């Protein structure tokens, strides 16, 4: 599989019953600059107080306003910060169900399949994987009838050979970066900066 700007996942199956999913980004673009401890402290404060102004952040962390503004601008330009869209909970939009659809496909049709998946509004994420399946697709649905319709739409895509679905019963650990930021900042998780 060639490097693309799509989100990628590696799925590892470890005997007897453990599955580990590792996520990272492939990109033809150079990686953004590595974050330092000051960046991590600033991001932790921003995570704890997302509406804080640059002046408030600077005061709380003992940094100059210009340092804070420059780092925020650099992160925004480099794509370090995820967009606002990631903070919208699909349940608030009426999508009460979530599922992961494992897709096996004709490898020659990968780009076309991914493009068609992106056209389905209920597809919230598509990851290329290693192992027995080619794609891991996260979908949301209003109810089981809606989920059935979405599964059918995925199966109709030319190049999709078969699918398997796992319904999300409960999100036990949400997507997070705070423990990684705390490690980089040199502070225990949950401590104030």
């Amino acid at each position: 599989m060639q490097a693309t700007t799509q989100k990628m996942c590696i799925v590892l199956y470890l005997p007897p019953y453990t599955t580990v999913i590792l996520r990272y980004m492939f990109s033809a673009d150079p990686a953004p600059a590595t974050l330092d401890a000051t960046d991590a402290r600033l991001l932790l404060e921003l995570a704890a107080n997302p509406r804080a102004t640059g002046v408030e952040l600077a005061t709380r962390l003992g940094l100059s306003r210009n340092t804070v503004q420059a780092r925020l601008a650099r992160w925004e330009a480099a794509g370090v910060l995820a967009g606002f869209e990631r903070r919208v909970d699909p349940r608030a939009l009426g999508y009460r169900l979530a599922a992961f659809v494992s897709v096996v496909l004709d490898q020659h049709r990968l780009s076309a399949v991914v493009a068609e998946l992106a056209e389905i509004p209920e597809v919230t994420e598509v990851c290329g994987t290693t192992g027995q399946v080619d794609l891991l697709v996260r979908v949301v649905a209003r109810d089981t009838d809606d989920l059935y319709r979405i599964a059918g739409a995925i199966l109709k895509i030319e190049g999709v050979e078969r699918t398997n679905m796992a319904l999300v019963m409960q999100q036990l650990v949400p997507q997070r970066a705070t423990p990684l930021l705390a490690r980089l900042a040199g502070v225990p998780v949950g401590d104030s900066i």
Side-chain angles (χ1 to χ4, degrees):
M1 185 177 298
Q2 24 171 282
T4 66
T5 56
Q6 301 169 31
K7 288 184 179 176
M8 301 298 285
C9 297
I10 293 179
V11 180
L12 303 174
Y13 298 98
L14 304 173
Y17 303 109
T18 305
T19 301
V20 177
I21 300 176
L22 305 173
R23 295 178 47 137
Y24 62 99
M25 296 288 290
F26 269 124
S27 176
D29 302 327
T34 302
L35 301 179
D36 62 21
T38 300
D39 290 326
R41 290 177 50 233
L42 182 53
L43 285 166
L44 282 168
E45 186 61 36
L46 193 56
N49 302 293
R51 295 177 190 248
T53 66
V55 172
E56 291 171 322
L57 293 168
T59 301
R60 288 180 187 154
L61 297 173
L63 300 171
S64 75
R65 182 186 58 80
N66 287 340
T67 297
V68 169
Q69 293 298 92
R71 288 174 188 248
L72 291 172
R74 185 180 76 220
W75 299 335
E76 195 169 332
V80 170
L81 299 175
F84 179 77
E85 178 183 21
R86 295 203 44 91
R87 295 177 60 190
V88 177
D89 187 338
R91 293 175 298 181
L93 304 173
Y95 294 93
R96 308 294 297 169
L97 297 178
F100 288 98
V101 181
S102 302
V103 178
V104 175
L105 55 87
D106 173 356
Q107 290 291 321
H108 298 98
R109 302 229 0 110
L110 175 64
S111 295
V113 169
V114 170
E116 288 194 51
L117 286 168
E119 295 297 319
I120 300 172
E122 296 86 358
V123 170
T124 61
E125 185 174 23
V126 177
C127 298
T129 62
T130 62
Q132 297 179 5
V133 299
D134 300 305
L135 301 175
L136 186 61
V137 181
R138 183 179 174 95
V139 300
V140 295
R142 295 183 182 279
D143 53 34
T144 54
D145 289 335
D146 196 30
L147 188 58
Y148 186 81
R149 176 190 59 79
I150 296 162
I154 292 171
L155 277 169
K156 285 182 184 176
I157 296 173
E158 187 178 339
V160 171
E161 295 176 356
R162 70 179 178 278
T163 64
N164 188 25
M165 185 178 301
L167 190 63
V168 174
M169 301 298 289
Q170 183 176 18
Q171 184 181 44
L172 302 174
V173 178
Q175 184 174 351
R176 63 199 180 135
T178 304
L180 302 173
L181 291 169
R183 177 185 290 163
L184 181 59
V187 298
V189 176
D191 281 7
S192 55
I193 307 297

